[in-house]
Amino acid sequence: MSDTPKYEQFSRFLHQQILSGVYRPGEKLPSERDLGKQYRIAHMTVNKAVNGLVSAGVLERHGSRGTFVAAASAETQRQVCLLLLDRQPEQFQSGALEMQVYSGITAQAARTGIVVILAETAAAPEMIDTLLQQRGNNLRGILFCGMTHEEKMLNLVERYRSLKFILLNYQLPEDLGYFDNLFKVYNADAEGGAMAAEELYRRGHREFAVLSYELHCRNYARRTDGFRRKLVELGVSNSRIHFRYLDPFRDICTEAVPQAEALTRELLASHPGATAFFAVNDYFASGIATELARTADSSRYDIIGYDNILPVLSQLGGFSTVAIDFEAIGRRAVELLTDDRPEKIIRIAPRLFTRTGKESGRITA
């Protein structure tokens, strides 16, 4: 549940409606009571939202005539991009990767003077048509973040061939086909798994355990596959790489850690030679670390976890971490909008951090 006050949420929504041309410069806004009825919001909430936009100069009050959208200004002529989301930022959990990507987008857009307009995926065609009508050549492109419907997305790319579409952290195959207007910025999950394998091998380990999650999680599968492939490349037999998979869970915070503890106990019993652990998620790594701390000789074990978000690295729990800077994904996506000759695919490389929080360089065998 969002901690943002309702009047702030409605203020942002109303501002987005103005930026996207639903309410045009100089146009009279519906009365506050009508807005409340239309969007099923309390009159006091609407009043606070409107007052805030008046103070910001977005709206103007003209006595008994009502409230109007401020006359066209330099801001209404600024370049814009449309960000398509499965859910609004107010619904993002604090620290979640979506929030990190969104922060990177908005920060880079502010630096370059681009206005970011939000829309839910379902409303994409109508919003794009409106922006093309109102903004024309000022519409720089469309960003997909968290898009889960490939067919719908590709239909948009096909329909609007003159617009630049950029996928953020999307697992569409690297071959983007015949769409010249389709680009991708994503985190290299397989490379992160390979980095973990390389580092554990360098530390002298020769038998490895992997904790993953196999239900519809392509990013986890890529991390696991990258880890295994690198070890085989280094000469480690498949028989010395032991996999365990967590059961589906509803709440990763409460269910993943105890499951990881139980699987670690099982691995220690069935494969006592395994001294190196790779966890495709930081919660899994926490469970491994908790269980290993109970063993008589915990110092002989090594753990590398995979973490989505750099800011939490200050809370490393006794294990090394491969991490992705998701803010960089957002920044690079906006940079592509202003690049006349952009790369088709941009990988945001993972980084390896030691238990002390210090970053390690790329390891080579």
Side-chain angles (χ1 to χ4, degrees):
M1 183 177 296
S2 173
D3 294 329
T4 306
K6 288 186 178 180
Y7 77 89
E8 287 190 16
Q9 295 181 37
F10 186 65
S11 176
R12 293 176 188 175
F13 169 77
L14 203 54
H15 196 191
Q16 288 292 327
Q17 297 286 84
I18 294 167
L19 288 172
S20 59
V22 174
Y23 300 112
R24 303 182 184 183
E27 182 178 343
K28 182 180 179 180
L29 214 63
S31 70
E32 293 179 4
R33 293 195 181 278
D34 287 342
L35 285 172
K37 291 178 182 178
Q38 181 179 350
Y39 297 107
R40 297 181 180 180
I41 297 175
H43 177 251
M44 184 177 294
T45 300
V46 175
N47 179 256
K48 291 186 70 174
V50 170
N51 285 341
L53 292 175
V54 169
S55 298
V58 176
L59 298 175
E60 297 175 346
R61 293 192 190 278
H62 294 286
S64 60
R65 292 173 54 208
T67 303
F68 293 76
V69 179
S73 62
E75 179 173 347
T76 63
Q77 303 304 317
R78 287 167 61 188
Q79 294 182 334
V80 300
C81 69
L82 179 63
L83 173 59
L84 296 178
L85 301 166
D86 286 343
R87 51 184 177 163
Q88 293 300 308
E90 288 80 11
Q91 297 175 303
F92 294 160
Q93 293 182 358
S94 177
L97 65 89
E98 299 103 324
M99 180 58 76
Q100 297 299 312
V101 173
Y102 181 68
S103 296
I105 290 171
T106 53
Q108 185 62 28
R111 294 188 192 100
T112 55
I114 293 177
V115 176
V116 179
I117 296 177
L118 308 181
E120 293 187 8
T121 302
E126 294 81 3
M127 183 62 82
I128 292 172
D129 287 339
T130 298
L131 287 173
L132 285 173
Q133 181 182 2
Q134 300 295 328
R135 299 280 185 159
N137 293 332
N138 285 339
L139 177 57
R140 296 295 300 183
I142 316 297
L143 305 179
F144 287 101
C145 181
M147 179 74 173
T148 55
H149 308 289
E150 289 188 13
E151 183 177 354
K152 184 180 293 185
M153 175 194 67
L154 293 175
N155 285 340
L156 290 174
V157 175
E158 173 69 40
R159 178 176 174 180
Y160 301 97
R161 294 299 290 263
S162 63
L163 293 176
K164 187 184 294 183
F165 288 82
I166 301 173
L167 314 183
L168 289 83
N169 194 41
Y170 201 78
Q171 297 296 343
L172 197 69
E174 292 188 17
D175 180 6
L176 299 182
Y178 57 90
F179 294 110
D180 294 333
N181 59 329
L182 184 58
F183 304 85
K184 184 168 92 167
V185 184
Y186 78 110
N187 61 303
D189 281 307
E191 185 178 336
M195 178 178 286
E198 213 167 30
E199 170 66 7
L200 289 171
Y201 187 88
R202 185 191 69 81
R203 294 179 186 178
H205 300 283
R206 295 299 179 267
E207 191 164 347
F208 306 83
V210 181
L211 262 66
S212 189
Y213 180 64
E214 59 184 346
L215 184 65
H216 307 305
C217 289
R218 285 180 287 182
N219 55 336
Y220 288 179
R222 288 170 184 251
R223 297 170 191 180
T224 301
D225 190 55
F227 185 85
R228 186 195 64 79
R229 286 177 180 271
K230 173 55 67 174
L231 288 180
V232 171
E233 179 185 314
L234 292 171
V236 176
S237 169
N238 275 312
S239 64
R240 292 188 173 274
I241 309 171
H242 314 298
F243 298 90
R244 292 293 186 277
Y245 296 95
L246 279 74
D247 295 328
F249 40 72
R250 291 165 299 182
D251 186 347
I252 190 171
C253 302
T254 60
E255 298 179 49
V257 173
Q259 276 200 53
E261 292 178 35
L263 289 177
T264 302
R265 285 195 298 273
E266 178 187 320
L267 279 162
L268 291 175
S270 59
H271 300 286
T275 55
F277 287 79
F278 174 57
V280 299
N281 178 282
D282 52 330
Y283 287 102
F284 304 176
S286 296
I288 296 172
T290 300
E291 183 59 32
L292 292 182
R294 301 186 179 110
T295 65
D297 186 16
S298 59
S299 61
R300 64 191 289 258
Y301 298 106
D302 259 329
I303 312 168
I304 293 183
Y306 202 113
D307 191 5
N308 281 332
I309 309 162
L310 289 179
V312 302
L313 289 172
S314 60
Q315 303 172 15
L316 283 170
F319 49 85
S320 300
T321 303
V322 174
I324 291 291
D325 185 351
F326 275 88
E327 285 195 16
I329 291 177
R331 291 195 302 270
R332 293 292 283 125
V334 176
E335 288 173 1
L336 282 179
L337 292 174
T338 58
D339 192 340
D340 292 332
R341 302 182 65 182
E343 300 176 55
K344 285 289 286 182
I345 299 171
I346 295 177
R347 296 176 180 83
I348 301 299
R351 294 152 64 179
L352 176 65
F353 291 79
T354 66
R355 293 183 185 87
T356 61
K358 294 181 179 179
E359 185 174 359
S360 299
R362 176 69 182 172
I363 309 297
T364 55

